[in-house]
Amino acid sequence: MALLDHNNLGDEREWGRAFTVLSAITHGYVWQNGGNNPAKMIPKCLAVPLVAAAKHIGGCPVVSWWPSMLNNWKIKYETRPLDLRNVEMQSLYTGSKDERWFFLIHWQIEIQSVPAIKSVVAAHKAVLDDNPELLRACLTTIQKTFQIMKTSLKRIYEHCDPAFFYTKLRVFLSGWKNSKSLPDGIIYEGVSTKPLKFSGASGSQSTTFHVFDAVLGIVHSRKGMTLRDPEKKSIHSR
């Protein structure tokens, strides 16, 4: 491939689209032979524009939650409701129904989280205004939203086989940090002569859940999840 000239990109939408497409092509190239035989170098034609796009967007030159999920969908029909039936993913690795469903379910969970996120903002104001009734209403909305999101997550098994995810799709979302296949990282030709290390895509990168953890005082560790009081040690663990 010829070197793609990122200097031709214009507005933020073009930069974002370039980042999504370039990161998908890059991971498709690196992991095309499977997890045990990846490419050791990203060719210059991909590496240079990918790094430039990532720098412009403010991310790392690797597949992550934003390019693979949040910036990777489009509405089919503008006049129809915004739901699973009216949305499709754009850049895919296998093109299978399992992959489409995997991403669509996560898209739906992100959309469904909106009422809870709005309630987080309102709850903060309720605390400042000493308004217990509003705070109670906000916490109720957050709880109900969590139940809706959990119900959607369980639907992932309807069209996405776990074996497909672990043996086919997951490898394409892998990065090259703490990787058994690429322990030293990967060389970005035309960018660095030394291997670079970046983590791949993970649902844990969703800022939605970080917001909820922060507002509910949830701290994650290797031993589990803990609810902490700012004045004391943990309230309880689960």
Side-chain angles (χ1 to χ4, degrees), residues 162-210:
F164 163 82
F165 173 75
Y166 284 105
T167 62
K168 302 293 184 181
L169 179 58
R170 192 179 186 186
V171 62
F172 287 110
L173 303 177
S174 301
W176 21 91
K177 182 179 181 181
N178 299 323
S179 170
K180 293 181 179 179
S181 302
L182 293 168
D184 299 322
I186 197 169
I187 294 176
Y188 288 70
E189 185 183 26
V191 176
S192 175
T193 57
K194 295 182 179 180
L196 302 178
K197 298 181 180 182
F198 298 104
S199 299
S202 169
S204 63
Q205 295 167 347
S206 171
T207 55
T208 296
F209 296 99
H210 290 288

Side-chain angles (χ1 to χ4, degrees), residues 3 12 14 54-55 64 73 84 86 106 123 148 160 163 205:
L3 178 63
E12 294 303 309
E14 289 187 2
K55 182 178 181 180
S64 61
W73 61 277
L84 284 178
N86 193 28
H106 285 87
I148 293 173
C160 182
Q205 295 167 347

Side-chain angles (χ1 to χ4, degrees), residues 10-225:
D11 58 21
E12 294 303 309
R13 188 171 183 175
E14 289 187 2
W15 279 100
R17 182 64 183 150
F19 185 27
T20 293
V21 173
L22 287 167
S23 60
I25 295 175
T26 295
H27 278 249
Y29 171 80
V30 171
W31 301 110
Q32 60 182 306
N33 295 319
N36 296 322
N37 188 27
K40 302 300 188 294
M41 180 179 69
I42 301 172
K44 184 178 180 180
C45 58
L46 290 174
V48 172
L50 172 60
V51 170
K55 182 178 181 180
H56 184 92
I57 294 297
C60 297
V62 67
V63 158
S64 61
W65 190 250
W66 189 81
S68 63
M69 178 65 245
L70 300 182
N71 192 51
N72 194 27
W73 61 277
K74 66 178 181 180
I75 300 173
K76 293 180 181 179
Y77 306 101
E78 294 287 346
T79 56
R80 297 183 182 179
L82 185 61
D83 56 32
L84 284 178
R85 295 167 295 181
N86 193 28
V87 170
E88 63 182 359
M89 306 308 296
Q90 294 181 294
S91 297
L92 299 171
Y93 297 100
T94 69
S96 67
K97 67 176 181 62
D98 295 74
E99 181 180 6
R100 294 178 188 278
W101 187 251
F102 173 82
F103 283 116
L104 284 173
I105 284 297
H106 285 87
W107 171 87
Q108 179 168 270
I109 291 172
E110 291 282 351
I111 291 294
Q112 290 173 335
S113 70
V114 172
I117 293 175
K118 290 182 177 180
S119 292
V120 165
V121 178
H124 180 67
K125 186 176 187 305
V127 172
L128 295 177
D129 294 344
D130 192 20
N131 188 337
E133 291 185 4
L134 175 59
L135 178 59
R136 188 179 299 108
C138 291
L139 292 175
T140 298
T141 298
I142 292 174
Q143 181 186 35
K144 291 181 178 179
T145 301
F146 284 176
Q147 293 301 320
I148 293 173
M149 293 164 66
K150 286 172 62 178
T151 299
S152 292
L153 182 58
K154 292 178 180 179
R155 290 192 63 196
I156 199 168
Y157 295 103
E158 291 180 14
H159 300 294
C160 182
D161 190 295
F164 163 82
F165 173 75
Y166 284 105
T167 62
K168 302 293 184 181
L169 179 58
R170 192 179 186 186
V171 62
F172 287 110
L173 303 177
S174 301
W176 21 91
K177 182 179 181 181
N178 299 323
S179 170
K180 293 181 179 179
S181 302
L182 293 168
D184 299 322
I186 197 169
I187 294 176
Y188 288 70
E189 185 183 26
V191 176
S192 175
T193 57
K194 295 182 179 180
L196 302 178
K197 298 181 180 182
F198 298 104
S199 299
S202 169
S204 63
Q205 295 167 347
S206 171
T207 55
T208 296
F209 296 99
H210 290 288
V211 167
F212 297 143
D213 282 350
V215 74
L216 297 175
I218 297 173
V219 178
H220 294 271
S221 67
R222 293 183 179 181
K223 295 181 179 180
M225 184 172 65

